[in-house]
Amino acid sequence: MALGDLSSSSSTSELHVLAVDDSIVDRKVIERLLRISACKVTTVESGTRALQYLGLDGDKGSSGLKDLKVNLIVTDYSMPGLTGYELLKKIKESSAFREIPVVIMSSENIQPRIEQCMTEGAEDFLLKPVKLADVKRLKELIMRGGEAEQEKTSNLISPKRILQNNIFFFIIFFIITITIIFIV
Amino acid sequence: MDTLVAQLQRQFRDYTISLYHQGFLDDQFTELKKLQDECSPDFVAEVVSLFFEDCEKLIGNMARALDQTGNVDFSLVGSSVHQLKGSSSSVGAKRVKGLCVTFKECCDSQSFEGCVRCLQQVDIEYKSLKAKLQDLFNLEQQIVQAGGRIPQVDI
């Protein structure tokens, strides 16, 4: 495998999504929806498990569990134990994970619930049953956000590069000038 | 004279359409079919199988809760009904989902007779759907075994 291949896989546009849902049927469906949309998927059955996976459950030993950076969290709202809203809050309170977009799914179209989640920082609110079009639109939204991030950092790098290139030319020019002076 | 494949394909098409028209399935089932391909050729059958297992488990929970004569926890029944409504919605099991809506109302109004009636209906309904989908999957298998392709059915 050439070095070129390695570098292209690190800048790959594949998202790693953590999907949280207590329903085994819904987990199967969301997993397939995400896989067919070219995402890597990890599914967990509760908010507590999600926090464990991220290493946010206070157990220092579990922080090494995840092997891949999570780019997006999709969670059901109504779950026993920790609800999707409570999970959202915990994620937004954490300095390590607050930048990860969180999307809430619910079978109930309750406006105050939606507003509550959006106010707490949810990226989007999907009404169940989730369809392929919903996931495609979501992926585009997240990718556009990611591309904007990449553009920002590449804009920061190029002026530095330009400066470095300029210093190189100045040095060459200086050497040539000195050489000419000696010759003359 | 129709070939065996053509006959089976027509049967499959007609049966699928009837399931939709009679309200057994809705367009979420169509959405699930979109997720099936050569990489995941049994996806729909797998999801549907999980759904029927879920039905059995949840209906068992509801029956046990309703069996506590004089001390029925309607919120417990209601929470199982909510879960069943969710999973039936996710697979396109339209009639089961509809019954869950009524069932939830009975739980909310704490009507014991209403709940018992709904439980019986939901039990009958999911088993009926299970048998029909099994017939549909069998038809698919027969088509494939006869060397044909499963037709795309536009509802």
Side-chain angles (χ1 to χ4, degrees):
Chain A
M1 207 179 2
L3 268 170
D5 292 339
L6 284 171
S7 62
S8 64
S9 68
S10 63
S11 61
T12 191
S13 56
E14 252 199 346
L15 290 181
H16 176 212
V17 187
L18 178 66
V20 192
D21 202 312
D22 61 316
S23 159
I24 193 170
V25 172
D26 289 354
R27 274 202 305 280
K28 176 102 179 161
V29 174
I30 194 77
E31 181 186 44
R32 183 74 189 135
L33 282 168
L34 290 164
R35 287 238 164 94
I36 220 175
S37 309
C39 297
K40 292 193 191 55
V41 193
T42 301
T43 57
V44 292
E45 78 261 23
S46 69
T48 314
R49 279 263 183 271
L51 291 177
Q52 275 175 359
Y53 183 80
L54 294 168
L56 271 179
D57 59 339
D59 178 6
K60 297 269 194 303
S62 61
S63 59
L65 266 182
K66 65 171 166 45
D67 42 7
L68 282 168
K69 179 171 150 52
V70 171
N71 306 114
L72 168 66
I73 297 167
V74 177
T75 177
D76 189 24
Y77 182 92
S78 317
M79 294 187 291
L82 213 64
T83 66
Y85 173 70
E86 287 159 355
L87 176 63
L88 166 70
K89 269 177 62 169
K90 287 230 186 283
I91 290 165
K92 293 302 168 188
E93 280 164 12
S94 121
S95 50
F97 299 105
R98 70 161 67 99
E99 292 307 316
I100 302 181
V102 180
V103 171
I104 312 280
M105 304 179 284
S106 176
S107 54
E108 293 164 303
N109 192 0
I110 298 172
Q111 204 51 38
R113 174 184 289 186
I114 298 171
E115 280 166 14
Q116 186 193 43
C117 292
M118 299 309 283
T119 308
E120 196 59 41
E123 192 71 29
D124 204 348
F125 192 100
L126 295 179
L127 217 50
K128 282 182 165 184
V130 180
K131 296 169 162 45
L132 196 55
D134 295 324
V135 174
K136 290 208 150 118
R137 182 180 53 85
L138 187 64
K139 193 189 173 190
E140 276 166 29
L141 190 75
I142 305 295
M143 300 293 274
R144 266 207 303 276
E147 274 169 15
E149 278 296 310
Q150 267 195 332
E151 265 182 33
K152 258 198 285 183
T153 47
S154 64
N155 282 339
L156 283 171
I157 289 167
S158 40
K160 226 201 261 178
R161 284 237 179 88
I162 292 167
L163 194 63
Q164 283 171 348
N165 291 341
N166 283 341
I167 287 171
F168 179 68
F169 281 121
F170 275 128
I171 290 169
I172 298 289
F173 180 71
F174 184 69
I175 290 170
I176 291 169
T177 313
I178 299 293
T179 314
I180 291 170
I181 289 169
F182 268 117
I183 291 168
V184 165
Chain B
M1 186 70 161
D2 263 340
T3 61
L4 176 64
V5 168
Q7 277 178 34
L8 288 169
Q9 285 172 333
R10 199 176 47 249
Q11 247 187 296
F12 175 82
R13 207 178 264 118
D14 291 345
Y15 196 54
T16 305
I17 292 171
S18 78
L19 288 177
Y20 280 88
H21 285 183
Q22 288 172 45
F24 285 99
L25 299 173
D26 64 27
D27 59 40
Q28 183 59 19
F29 190 78
T30 317
E31 286 292 314
L32 289 189
K33 296 225 88 164
K34 285 187 201 168
L35 304 179
Q36 186 160 283
D37 59 19
E38 309 79 50
C39 304
S40 226
D42 301 313
F43 175 71
V44 179
E46 286 165 8
V47 179
V48 148
S49 171
L50 283 173
F51 167 64
F52 291 131
E53 280 171 22
D54 211 31
C55 284
E56 217 177 293
K57 184 190 91 179
L58 292 169
I59 287 170
N61 292 350
M62 294 169 205
R64 261 189 306 278
L66 286 168
D67 220 14
Q68 312 299 313
T69 10
N71 197 21
V72 174
D73 185 349
F74 286 100
S75 66
L76 199 63
V77 185
S79 116
S80 288
V81 173
H82 177 77
Q83 286 181 62
L84 185 59
K85 179 168 162 252
S87 52
S88 59
S89 164
S90 296
V91 303
K94 191 175 178 183
R95 281 201 192 179
V96 177
K97 180 178 153 191
L99 284 173
C100 288
V101 173
T102 315
F103 201 160
K104 191 70 172 47
E105 286 164 11
C106 293
C107 292
D108 293 342
S109 57
Q110 308 214 344
S111 156
F112 180 75
E113 285 84 24
C115 283
V116 170
R117 207 169 32 246
C118 285
L119 181 67
Q120 287 168 347
Q121 286 174 331
V122 147
D123 191 56
I124 291 168
E125 196 56 56
Y126 101 81
K127 284 170 175 164
S128 165
L129 180 64
K130 188 174 177 182
K132 288 187 187 303
L133 287 179
Q134 194 53 59
D135 289 342
L136 194 69
F137 295 143
N138 287 343
L139 266 173
E140 282 185 344
Q141 264 191 334
Q142 284 176 53
I143 292 170
V144 168
Q145 276 165 6
R149 291 190 63 203
I150 298 160
Q152 179 97 332
V153 185
D154 295 315
I155 307 302

